[in-house]
Amino acid sequence: MKIAIASDHAGFELKEKLKEFLNELGYGYKDFGTFSKESVDYPDYALRVAESVAEKKFERGILVCGTGIGMSMAANKVPGIRAALCYDEKTARLSREHNDANILTLGARLMSEKKAKEIVKVWLKTEFAGGRHSRRLKKIEEIERMY
C-alpha cells in the first residue's frame, strides 16, 4: 500500500515520527510537505494529499495538523475523499470498517506520539466491512455529485 502524507507546521514533528513508523511497518509513502516548522497554511497540504488519493495515485493518506480538524475539513472538500479525524484506536477502526476512510487526520497537539502510532497501525490494517455500509457510502457519493 502506498500512502500520501503531509502536515502543516504544527504537525511537522509528528509527521516525521510517523514516516519512521511507516518505514518500520513496511509501507511506502510520499511526503507532500511541509518540510519544516515554519508557519504554513494547512489547506495547501491537505489538498495535495487529497487530490493524490482521489486520483488513485495513493491508496490512502495521512494528514497531521494541530488538531486534525482543519486538515479534515479541507481534505473532505475533494470529491471521493473520506477523511476521518481519529483520536483513538476505536475511531480509527470504525472509520475504516464503516466509512472506508481513505485519509486519516490527526491532531499533533492533542495526542502523544505513541497514541498516534497506535491509531495509524490500526487504521492501516483495518479493512472496509462493506455490506450495509456500502449503501451509505453510495449516498455520500450522490451528495458529492449534487454540488
Side-chain angles (χ1 to χ4, degrees), residues 51-102:
E51 285 180 334
S52 72
V53 172
E55 293 168 0
K56 309 267 190 247
K57 294 176 181 173
F58 295 86
E59 287 92 336
R60 298 203 203 154
I62 299 173
L63 293 167
V64 188
C65 65
T67 63
I69 297 168
M71 287 289 203
S72 178
M73 294 170 83
N76 278 317
K77 298 297 182 187
V78 175
I81 294 304
R82 294 173 305 281
L85 170 57
C86 297
Y87 45 86
D88 60 22
E89 297 90 335
K90 185 172 185 175
T91 54
R93 181 178 54 80
L94 292 173
S95 78
R96 290 286 310 131
E97 284 180 358
H98 293 192
N99 310 111
D100 197 18
N102 51 14

mmCIF file of all heavy atoms in Angstrom, residues 51-102:
data_model
loop_
_atom_site.group_PDB
_atom_site.id
_atom_site.type_symbol
_atom_site.label_atom_id
_atom_site.label_comp_id
_atom_site.label_asym_id
_atom_site.label_seq_id
_atom_site.Cartn_x
_atom_site.Cartn_y
_atom_site.Cartn_z
ATOM 1 N N GLU A 51 -5.991 15.254 -3.347
ATOM 2 C CA GLU A 51 -6.018 15.060 -4.799
ATOM 3 C C GLU A 51 -5.277 13.792 -5.208
ATOM 4 O O GLU A 51 -5.747 13.051 -6.073
ATOM 5 C CB GLU A 51 -5.418 16.275 -5.507
ATOM 6 C CG GLU A 51 -6.346 17.472 -5.528
ATOM 7 C CD GLU A 51 -5.752 18.677 -6.237
ATOM 8 O OE1 GLU A 51 -4.506 18.806 -6.296
ATOM 9 O OE2 GLU A 51 -6.541 19.494 -6.723
ATOM 10 N N SER A 52 -4.150 13.525 -4.582
ATOM 11 C CA SER A 52 -3.376 12.335 -4.955
ATOM 12 C C SER A 52 -4.126 11.048 -4.607
ATOM 13 O O SER A 52 -4.043 10.062 -5.340
ATOM 14 C CB SER A 52 -1.989 12.356 -4.311
ATOM 15 O OG SER A 52 -2.068 12.115 -2.928
ATOM 16 N N VAL A 53 -4.875 11.059 -3.508
ATOM 17 C CA VAL A 53 -5.668 9.891 -3.130
ATOM 18 C C VAL A 53 -6.903 9.788 -4.038
ATOM 19 O O VAL A 53 -7.235 8.702 -4.527
ATOM 20 C CB VAL A 53 -6.066 9.943 -1.640
ATOM 21 C CG1 VAL A 53 -7.049 8.831 -1.288
ATOM 22 C CG2 VAL A 53 -4.818 9.840 -0.757
ATOM 23 N N ALA A 54 -7.575 10.897 -4.293
ATOM 24 C CA ALA A 54 -8.756 10.885 -5.157
ATOM 25 C C ALA A 54 -8.409 10.420 -6.570
ATOM 26 O O ALA A 54 -9.207 9.737 -7.223
ATOM 27 C CB ALA A 54 -9.399 12.265 -5.194
ATOM 28 N N GLU A 55 -7.217 10.776 -7.029
ATOM 29 C CA GLU A 55 -6.762 10.368 -8.367
ATOM 30 C C GLU A 55 -6.187 8.949 -8.379
ATOM 31 O O GLU A 55 -5.674 8.497 -9.404
ATOM 32 C CB GLU A 55 -5.717 11.365 -8.880
ATOM 33 C CG GLU A 55 -6.298 12.745 -9.148
ATOM 34 C CD GLU A 55 -5.233 13.808 -9.372
ATOM 35 O OE1 GLU A 55 -4.005 13.506 -9.322
ATOM 36 O OE2 GLU A 55 -5.625 14.974 -9.575
ATOM 37 N N LYS A 56 -6.252 8.273 -7.231
ATOM 38 C CA LYS A 56 -5.798 6.881 -7.093
ATOM 39 C C LYS A 56 -4.295 6.701 -7.295
ATOM 40 O O LYS A 56 -3.826 5.614 -7.619
ATOM 41 C CB LYS A 56 -6.562 5.948 -8.027
ATOM 42 C CG LYS A 56 -8.060 6.070 -7.963
ATOM 43 C CD LYS A 56 -8.636 5.096 -6.994
ATOM 44 C CE LYS A 56 -10.152 5.055 -7.106
ATOM 45 N NZ LYS A 56 -10.809 5.567 -5.956
ATOM 46 N N LYS A 57 -3.530 7.769 -7.104
ATOM 47 C CA LYS A 57 -2.073 7.657 -7.155
ATOM 48 C C LYS A 57 -1.550 7.023 -5.867
ATOM 49 O O LYS A 57 -0.449 6.473 -5.844
ATOM 50 C CB LYS A 57 -1.448 9.028 -7.362
ATOM 51 C CG LYS A 57 -1.768 9.628 -8.717
ATOM 52 C CD LYS A 57 -1.211 11.014 -8.859
ATOM 53 C CE LYS A 57 -1.574 11.599 -10.213
ATOM 54 N NZ LYS A 57 -1.189 13.014 -10.317
ATOM 55 N N PHE A 58 -2.340 7.136 -4.797
ATOM 56 C CA PHE A 58 -2.038 6.539 -3.498
ATOM 57 C C PHE A 58 -3.311 5.914 -2.974
ATOM 58 O O PHE A 58 -4.402 6.457 -3.168
ATOM 59 C CB PHE A 58 -1.515 7.601 -2.518
ATOM 60 C CG PHE A 58 -0.202 8.185 -2.940
ATOM 61 C CD1 PHE A 58 -0.154 9.257 -3.815
ATOM 62 C CD2 PHE A 58 0.985 7.644 -2.487
ATOM 63 C CE1 PHE A 58 1.051 9.786 -4.244
ATOM 64 C CE2 PHE A 58 2.206 8.165 -2.901
ATOM 65 C CZ PHE A 58 2.236 9.234 -3.782
ATOM 66 N N GLU A 59 -3.166 4.778 -2.283
ATOM 67 C CA GLU A 59 -4.346 4.113 -1.730
ATOM 68 C C GLU A 59 -4.941 4.874 -0.557
ATOM 69 O O GLU A 59 -6.156 4.911 -0.396
ATOM 70 C CB GLU A 59 -4.012 2.684 -1.282
ATOM 71 C CG GLU A 59 -3.800 1.725 -2.424
ATOM 72 C CD GLU A 59 -2.361 1.599 -2.873
ATOM 73 O OE1 GLU A 59 -1.551 2.520 -2.653
ATOM 74 O OE2 GLU A 59 -2.031 0.562 -3.447
ATOM 75 N N ARG A 60 -4.072 5.452 0.271
ATOM 76 C CA ARG A 60 -4.551 6.171 1.454
ATOM 77 C C ARG A 60 -3.647 7.355 1.741
ATOM 78 O O ARG A 60 -2.534 7.443 1.220
ATOM 79 C CB ARG A 60 -4.579 5.255 2.678
ATOM 80 C CG ARG A 60 -5.540 4.085 2.496
ATOM 81 C CD ARG A 60 -5.996 3.537 3.803
ATOM 82 N NE ARG A 60 -6.442 2.165 3.621
ATOM 83 C CZ ARG A 60 -6.437 1.259 4.567
ATOM 84 N NH1 ARG A 60 -5.997 1.561 5.770
ATOM 85 N NH2 ARG A 60 -6.868 0.042 4.337
ATOM 86 N N GLY A 61 -4.149 8.237 2.609
ATOM 87 C CA GLY A 61 -3.382 9.404 3.007
ATOM 88 C C GLY A 61 -3.430 9.626 4.505
ATOM 89 O O GLY A 61 -4.367 9.180 5.177
ATOM 90 N N ILE A 62 -2.426 10.314 5.004
ATOM 91 C CA ILE A 62 -2.359 10.705 6.418
ATOM 92 C C ILE A 62 -2.017 12.188 6.450
ATOM 93 O O ILE A 62 -1.058 12.623 5.814
ATOM 94 C CB ILE A 62 -1.299 9.900 7.191
ATOM 95 C CG1 ILE A 62 -1.636 8.405 7.170
ATOM 96 C CG2 ILE A 62 -1.179 10.419 8.631
ATOM 97 C CD1 ILE A 62 -0.550 7.505 7.780
ATOM 98 N N LEU A 63 -2.821 12.949 7.195
ATOM 99 C CA LEU A 63 -2.618 14.388 7.353
ATOM 100 C C LEU A 63 -2.519 14.727 8.834
ATOM 101 O O LEU A 63 -3.290 14.215 9.643
ATOM 102 C CB LEU A 63 -3.789 15.158 6.736
ATOM 103 C CG LEU A 63 -3.922 15.055 5.217
ATOM 104 C CD1 LEU A 63 -5.273 15.587 4.766
ATOM 105 C CD2 LEU A 63 -2.784 15.807 4.544
ATOM 106 N N VAL A 64 -1.584 15.611 9.169
ATOM 107 C CA VAL A 64 -1.374 15.986 10.568
ATOM 108 C C VAL A 64 -1.323 17.510 10.680
ATOM 109 O O VAL A 64 -0.539 18.156 9.978
ATOM 110 C CB VAL A 64 -0.062 15.398 11.133
ATOM 111 C CG1 VAL A 64 0.023 15.630 12.634
ATOM 112 C CG2 VAL A 64 0.058 13.907 10.821
ATOM 113 N N CYS A 65 -2.159 18.059 11.550
ATOM 114 C CA CYS A 65 -2.072 19.480 11.892
ATOM 115 C C CYS A 65 -2.212 19.580 13.406
ATOM 116 O O CYS A 65 -2.128 18.566 14.099
ATOM 117 C CB CYS A 65 -3.104 20.320 11.145
ATOM 118 S SG CYS A 65 -4.832 19.998 11.520
ATOM 119 N N GLY A 66 -2.427 20.755 13.927
ATOM 120 C CA GLY A 66 -2.502 20.915 15.373
ATOM 121 C C GLY A 66 -3.617 20.108 16.011
ATOM 122 O O GLY A 66 -3.410 19.394 16.984
ATOM 123 N N THR A 67 -4.828 20.203 15.439
ATOM 124 C CA THR A 67 -5.979 19.481 15.987
ATOM 125 C C THR A 67 -6.476 18.368 15.079
ATOM 126 O O THR A 67 -7.241 17.512 15.511
ATOM 127 C CB THR A 67 -7.162 20.433 16.225
ATOM 128 O OG1 THR A 67 -7.578 20.963 14.960
ATOM 129 C CG2 THR A 67 -6.796 21.549 17.190
ATOM 130 N N GLY A 68 -6.111 18.408 13.814
ATOM 131 C CA GLY A 68 -6.638 17.476 12.824
ATOM 132 C C GLY A 68 -7.926 17.972 12.185
ATOM 133 O O GLY A 68 -8.347 17.466 11.156
ATOM 134 N N ILE A 69 -8.535 18.972 12.777
ATOM 135 C CA ILE A 69 -9.824 19.465 12.294
ATOM 136 C C ILE A 69 -9.690 20.173 10.951
ATOM 137 O O ILE A 69 -10.414 19.882 10.002
ATOM 138 C CB ILE A 69 -10.487 20.391 13.336
ATOM 139 C CG1 ILE A 69 -10.785 19.614 14.619
ATOM 140 C CG2 ILE A 69 -11.760 21.016 12.776
ATOM 141 C CD1 ILE A 69 -11.173 20.498 15.802
ATOM 142 N N GLY A 70 -8.769 21.116 10.865
ATOM 143 C CA GLY A 70 -8.601 21.872 9.630
ATOM 144 C C GLY A 70 -8.237 20.990 8.451
ATOM 145 O O GLY A 70 -8.792 21.133 7.346
ATOM 146 N N MET A 71 -7.308 20.067 8.659
ATOM 147 C CA MET A 71 -6.911 19.144 7.595
ATOM 148 C C MET A 71 -8.106 18.309 7.138
ATOM 149 O O MET A 71 -8.318 18.109 5.935
ATOM 150 C CB MET A 71 -5.792 18.217 8.062
ATOM 151 C CG MET A 71 -4.443 18.880 8.187
ATOM 152 S SD MET A 71 -3.755 19.272 6.567
ATOM 153 C CE MET A 71 -2.015 19.340 6.975
ATOM 154 N N SER A 72 -8.903 17.833 8.079
ATOM 155 C CA SER A 72 -10.073 17.030 7.754
ATOM 156 C C SER A 72 -11.076 17.833 6.931
ATOM 157 O O SER A 72 -11.590 17.361 5.913
ATOM 158 C CB SER A 72 -10.718 16.520 9.043
ATOM 159 O OG SER A 72 -11.875 15.782 8.761
ATOM 160 N N MET A 73 -11.341 19.053 7.368
ATOM 161 C CA MET A 73 -12.300 19.895 6.660
ATOM 162 C C MET A 73 -11.832 20.170 5.230
ATOM 163 O O MET A 73 -12.621 20.075 4.282
ATOM 164 C CB MET A 73 -12.514 21.202 7.412
ATOM 165 C CG MET A 73 -13.188 21.006 8.752
ATOM 166 S SD MET A 73 -13.178 22.508 9.748
ATOM 167 C CE MET A 73 -14.588 23.344 9.055
ATOM 168 N N ALA A 74 -10.577 20.514 5.072
ATOM 169 C CA ALA A 74 -10.049 20.837 3.741
ATOM 170 C C ALA A 74 -10.038 19.604 2.835
ATOM 171 O O ALA A 74 -10.470 19.673 1.677
ATOM 172 C CB ALA A 74 -8.648 21.429 3.865
ATOM 173 N N ALA A 75 -9.548 18.491 3.333
ATOM 174 C CA ALA A 75 -9.456 17.275 2.517
ATOM 175 C C ALA A 75 -10.833 16.805 2.058
ATOM 176 O O ALA A 75 -10.991 16.350 0.919
ATOM 177 C CB ALA A 75 -8.745 16.172 3.297
ATOM 178 N N ASN A 76 -11.825 16.935 2.923
ATOM 179 C CA ASN A 76 -13.168 16.459 2.584
ATOM 180 C C ASN A 76 -13.872 17.298 1.533
ATOM 181 O O ASN A 76 -14.943 16.919 1.059
ATOM 182 C CB ASN A 76 -14.021 16.330 3.847
ATOM 183 C CG ASN A 76 -13.755 15.026 4.553
ATOM 184 O OD1 ASN A 76 -13.643 13.983 3.923
ATOM 185 N ND2 ASN A 76 -13.639 15.078 5.865
ATOM 186 N N LYS A 77 -13.281 18.389 1.109
ATOM 187 C CA LYS A 77 -13.843 19.185 0.001
ATOM 188 C C LYS A 77 -13.565 18.534 -1.349
ATOM 189 O O LYS A 77 -14.206 18.859 -2.336
ATOM 190 C CB LYS A 77 -13.274 20.612 0.012
ATOM 191 C CG LYS A 77 -13.603 21.410 1.245
ATOM 192 C CD LYS A 77 -15.080 21.621 1.382
ATOM 193 C CE LYS A 77 -15.396 22.474 2.606
ATOM 194 N NZ LYS A 77 -16.833 22.556 2.835
ATOM 195 N N VAL A 78 -12.617 17.610 -1.403
ATOM 196 C CA VAL A 78 -12.248 16.948 -2.653
ATOM 197 C C VAL A 78 -13.170 15.750 -2.859
ATOM 198 O O VAL A 78 -13.238 14.859 -2.006
ATOM 199 C CB VAL A 78 -10.763 16.510 -2.626
ATOM 200 C CG1 VAL A 78 -10.403 15.721 -3.879
ATOM 201 C CG2 VAL A 78 -9.858 17.721 -2.447
ATOM 202 N N PRO A 79 -13.904 15.706 -3.985
ATOM 203 C CA PRO A 79 -14.791 14.564 -4.240
ATOM 204 C C PRO A 79 -14.025 13.240 -4.188
ATOM 205 O O PRO A 79 -12.906 13.129 -4.677
ATOM 206 C CB PRO A 79 -15.317 14.838 -5.663
ATOM 207 C CG PRO A 79 -15.232 16.330 -5.798
ATOM 208 C CD PRO A 79 -13.980 16.713 -5.043
ATOM 209 N N GLY A 80 -14.659 12.261 -3.553
ATOM 210 C CA GLY A 80 -14.052 10.941 -3.428
ATOM 211 C C GLY A 80 -13.232 10.761 -2.168
ATOM 212 O O GLY A 80 -12.787 9.662 -1.871
ATOM 213 N N ILE A 81 -13.057 11.827 -1.417
ATOM 214 C CA ILE A 81 -12.271 11.743 -0.184
ATOM 215 C C ILE A 81 -13.196 11.565 1.008
ATOM 216 O O ILE A 81 -14.226 12.217 1.132
ATOM 217 C CB ILE A 81 -11.384 12.997 -0.010
ATOM 218 C CG1 ILE A 81 -10.323 13.030 -1.104
ATOM 219 C CG2 ILE A 81 -10.749 13.030 1.379
ATOM 220 C CD1 ILE A 81 -9.433 11.788 -1.179
ATOM 221 N N ARG A 82 -12.780 10.655 1.864
ATOM 222 C CA ARG A 82 -13.467 10.406 3.132
ATOM 223 C C ARG A 82 -12.400 10.494 4.223
ATOM 224 O O ARG A 82 -11.839 9.495 4.645
ATOM 225 C CB ARG A 82 -14.159 9.047 3.101
ATOM 226 C CG ARG A 82 -15.307 8.992 2.091
ATOM 227 C CD ARG A 82 -15.894 7.603 1.941
ATOM 228 N NE ARG A 82 -14.891 6.599 1.601
ATOM 229 C CZ ARG A 82 -14.385 6.399 0.375
ATOM 230 N NH1 ARG A 82 -14.782 7.131 -0.639
ATOM 231 N NH2 ARG A 82 -13.475 5.468 0.166
ATOM 232 N N ALA A 83 -12.100 11.736 4.601
ATOM 233 C CA ALA A 83 -11.069 11.980 5.622
ATOM 234 C C ALA A 83 -11.710 11.885 6.999
ATOM 235 O O ALA A 83 -12.749 12.496 7.247
ATOM 236 C CB ALA A 83 -10.439 13.356 5.420
ATOM 237 N N ALA A 84 -11.076 11.135 7.872
ATOM 238 C CA ALA A 84 -11.602 10.920 9.215
ATOM 239 C C ALA A 84 -10.602 11.400 10.257
ATOM 240 O O ALA A 84 -9.441 10.982 10.252
ATOM 241 C CB ALA A 84 -11.900 9.437 9.432
ATOM 242 N N LEU A 85 -11.075 12.263 11.123
ATOM 243 C CA LEU A 85 -10.289 12.707 12.269
ATOM 244 C C LEU A 85 -10.448 11.651 13.354
ATOM 245 O O LEU A 85 -11.549 11.433 13.861
ATOM 246 C CB LEU A 85 -10.778 14.070 12.760
ATOM 247 C CG LEU A 85 -10.226 14.566 14.082
ATOM 248 C CD1 LEU A 85 -8.710 14.640 14.069
ATOM 249 C CD2 LEU A 85 -10.832 15.919 14.419
ATOM 250 N N CYS A 86 -9.369 10.983 13.683
ATOM 251 C CA CYS A 86 -9.424 9.911 14.674
ATOM 252 C C CYS A 86 -8.582 10.287 15.880
ATOM 253 O O CYS A 86 -7.525 10.892 15.750
ATOM 254 C CB CYS A 86 -8.937 8.597 14.073
ATOM 255 S SG CYS A 86 -9.987 8.027 12.717
ATOM 256 N N TYR A 87 -9.055 9.903 17.045
ATOM 257 C CA TYR A 87 -8.382 10.260 18.293
ATOM 258 C C TYR A 87 -8.108 9.062 19.180
ATOM 259 O O TYR A 87 -7.566 9.198 20.273
ATOM 260 C CB TYR A 87 -9.170 11.334 19.046
ATOM 261 C CG TYR A 87 -10.658 11.056 19.112
ATOM 262 C CD1 TYR A 87 -11.199 10.256 20.111
ATOM 263 C CD2 TYR A 87 -11.518 11.578 18.159
ATOM 264 C CE1 TYR A 87 -12.544 9.978 20.154
ATOM 265 C CE2 TYR A 87 -12.874 11.310 18.201
ATOM 266 C CZ TYR A 87 -13.384 10.519 19.206
ATOM 267 O OH TYR A 87 -14.726 10.239 19.230
ATOM 268 N N ASP A 88 -8.483 7.876 18.719
ATOM 269 C CA ASP A 88 -8.144 6.644 19.437
ATOM 270 C C ASP A 88 -8.266 5.474 18.470
ATOM 271 O O ASP A 88 -8.673 5.649 17.320
ATOM 272 C CB ASP A 88 -9.002 6.457 20.693
ATOM 273 C CG ASP A 88 -10.495 6.382 20.410
ATOM 274 O OD1 ASP A 88 -10.890 6.058 19.270
ATOM 275 O OD2 ASP A 88 -11.276 6.643 21.333
ATOM 276 N N GLU A 89 -7.924 4.298 18.938
ATOM 277 C CA GLU A 89 -7.942 3.120 18.076
ATOM 278 C C GLU A 89 -9.347 2.755 17.621
ATOM 279 O O GLU A 89 -9.535 2.283 16.501
ATOM 280 C CB GLU A 89 -7.295 1.918 18.784
ATOM 281 C CG GLU A 89 -5.829 2.112 19.111
ATOM 282 C CD GLU A 89 -5.576 2.729 20.478
ATOM 283 O OE1 GLU A 89 -6.449 3.447 21.018
ATOM 284 O OE2 GLU A 89 -4.476 2.510 21.004
ATOM 285 N N LYS A 90 -10.336 2.972 18.478
ATOM 286 C CA LYS A 90 -11.709 2.621 18.111
ATOM 287 C C LYS A 90 -12.208 3.487 16.959
ATOM 288 O O LYS A 90 -12.802 2.973 16.004
ATOM 289 C CB LYS A 90 -12.641 2.745 19.315
ATOM 290 C CG LYS A 90 -14.045 2.275 19.012
ATOM 291 C CD LYS A 90 -14.909 2.221 20.247
ATOM 292 C CE LYS A 90 -16.265 1.630 19.912
ATOM 293 N NZ LYS A 90 -17.090 1.465 21.124
ATOM 294 N N THR A 91 -11.984 4.798 17.038
ATOM 295 C CA THR A 91 -12.438 5.649 15.933
ATOM 296 C C THR A 91 -11.660 5.324 14.660
ATOM 297 O O THR A 91 -12.211 5.384 13.563
ATOM 298 C CB THR A 91 -12.329 7.150 16.277
ATOM 299 O OG1 THR A 91 -11.000 7.465 16.690
ATOM 300 C CG2 THR A 91 -13.311 7.534 17.367
ATOM 301 N N ALA A 92 -10.398 4.958 14.784
ATOM 302 C CA ALA A 92 -9.607 4.567 13.612
ATOM 303 C C ALA A 92 -10.192 3.315 12.969
ATOM 304 O O ALA A 92 -10.391 3.272 11.741
ATOM 305 C CB ALA A 92 -8.151 4.333 14.012
ATOM 306 N N ARG A 93 -10.474 2.318 13.772
ATOM 307 C CA ARG A 93 -11.032 1.056 13.259
ATOM 308 C C ARG A 93 -12.399 1.288 12.610
ATOM 309 O O ARG A 93 -12.655 0.850 11.488
ATOM 310 C CB ARG A 93 -11.139 0.018 14.374
ATOM 311 C CG ARG A 93 -11.689 -1.330 13.909
ATOM 312 C CD ARG A 93 -11.732 -2.347 15.036
ATOM 313 N NE ARG A 93 -12.443 -1.902 16.215
ATOM 314 C CZ ARG A 93 -13.784 -1.896 16.352
ATOM 315 N NH1 ARG A 93 -14.545 -2.303 15.348
ATOM 316 N NH2 ARG A 93 -14.340 -1.489 17.465
ATOM 317 N N LEU A 94 -13.265 2.025 13.294
ATOM 318 C CA LEU A 94 -14.609 2.244 12.766
ATOM 319 C C LEU A 94 -14.616 3.134 11.527
ATOM 320 O O LEU A 94 -15.450 2.955 10.630
ATOM 321 C CB LEU A 94 -15.518 2.825 13.848
ATOM 322 C CG LEU A 94 -15.833 1.860 14.994
ATOM 323 C CD1 LEU A 94 -16.597 2.576 16.099
ATOM 324 C CD2 LEU A 94 -16.597 0.642 14.494
ATOM 325 N N SER A 95 -13.671 4.067 11.446
ATOM 326 C CA SER A 95 -13.603 4.921 10.251
ATOM 327 C C SER A 95 -13.291 4.096 9.005
ATOM 328 O O SER A 95 -13.715 4.442 7.904
ATOM 329 C CB SER A 95 -12.572 6.035 10.431
ATOM 330 O OG SER A 95 -11.250 5.563 10.244
ATOM 331 N N ARG A 96 -12.550 3.029 9.189
ATOM 332 C CA ARG A 96 -12.237 2.132 8.072
ATOM 333 C C ARG A 96 -13.356 1.116 7.848
ATOM 334 O O ARG A 96 -13.822 0.950 6.733
ATOM 335 C CB ARG A 96 -10.915 1.389 8.350
ATOM 336 C CG ARG A 96 -9.697 2.267 8.284
ATOM 337 C CD ARG A 96 -9.311 2.650 6.858
ATOM 338 N NE ARG A 96 -9.256 1.456 6.030
ATOM 339 C CZ ARG A 96 -9.847 1.359 4.837
ATOM 340 N NH1 ARG A 96 -10.496 2.357 4.318
ATOM 341 N NH2 ARG A 96 -9.771 0.223 4.157
ATOM 342 N N GLU A 97 -13.793 0.443 8.912
ATOM 343 C CA GLU A 97 -14.811 -0.601 8.766
ATOM 344 C C GLU A 97 -16.127 -0.056 8.227
ATOM 345 O O GLU A 97 -16.737 -0.659 7.355
ATOM 346 C CB GLU A 97 -15.078 -1.279 10.113
ATOM 347 C CG GLU A 97 -14.014 -2.242 10.553
ATOM 348 C CD GLU A 97 -14.324 -2.895 11.888
ATOM 349 O OE1 GLU A 97 -15.363 -2.573 12.514
ATOM 350 O OE2 GLU A 97 -13.510 -3.732 12.313
ATOM 351 N N HIS A 98 -16.590 1.052 8.770
ATOM 352 C CA HIS A 98 -17.917 1.576 8.436
ATOM 353 C C HIS A 98 -17.908 2.637 7.344
ATOM 354 O O HIS A 98 -18.872 2.752 6.597
ATOM 355 C CB HIS A 98 -18.576 2.181 9.674
ATOM 356 C CG HIS A 98 -18.911 1.162 10.714
ATOM 357 N ND1 HIS A 98 -19.724 1.452 11.781
ATOM 358 C CD2 HIS A 98 -18.546 -0.140 10.863
ATOM 359 C CE1 HIS A 98 -19.849 0.377 12.552
ATOM 360 N NE2 HIS A 98 -19.132 -0.597 12.017
ATOM 361 N N ASN A 99 -16.833 3.431 7.267
ATOM 362 C CA ASN A 99 -16.823 4.582 6.360
ATOM 363 C C ASN A 99 -15.816 4.476 5.235
ATOM 364 O O ASN A 99 -15.755 5.369 4.389
ATOM 365 C CB ASN A 99 -16.553 5.873 7.155
ATOM 366 C CG ASN A 99 -17.455 6.003 8.353
ATOM 367 O OD1 ASN A 99 -16.994 5.915 9.485
ATOM 368 N ND2 ASN A 99 -18.738 6.190 8.123
ATOM 369 N N ASP A 100 -15.015 3.432 5.225
ATOM 370 C CA ASP A 100 -13.966 3.248 4.217
ATOM 371 C C ASP A 100 -13.136 4.523 4.087
ATOM 372 O O ASP A 100 -12.824 4.983 2.982
ATOM 373 C CB ASP A 100 -14.571 2.849 2.873
ATOM 374 C CG ASP A 100 -13.551 2.245 1.916
ATOM 375 O OD1 ASP A 100 -12.474 1.822 2.374
ATOM 376 O OD2 ASP A 100 -13.837 2.211 0.698
ATOM 377 N N ALA A 101 -12.781 5.117 5.227
ATOM 378 C CA ALA A 101 -11.981 6.348 5.229
ATOM 379 C C ALA A 101 -10.703 6.114 4.443
ATOM 380 O O ALA A 101 -10.011 5.121 4.648
ATOM 381 C CB ALA A 101 -11.660 6.776 6.657
ATOM 382 N N ASN A 102 -10.409 7.049 3.530
ATOM 383 C CA ASN A 102 -9.186 6.903 2.744
ATOM 384 C C ASN A 102 -8.114 7.911 3.151
ATOM 385 O O ASN A 102 -7.002 7.849 2.645
ATOM 386 C CB ASN A 102 -9.472 6.944 1.241
ATOM 387 C CG ASN A 102 -10.302 8.125 0.808
ATOM 388 O OD1 ASN A 102 -10.489 9.086 1.543
ATOM 389 N ND2 ASN A 102 -10.814 8.050 -0.407
#
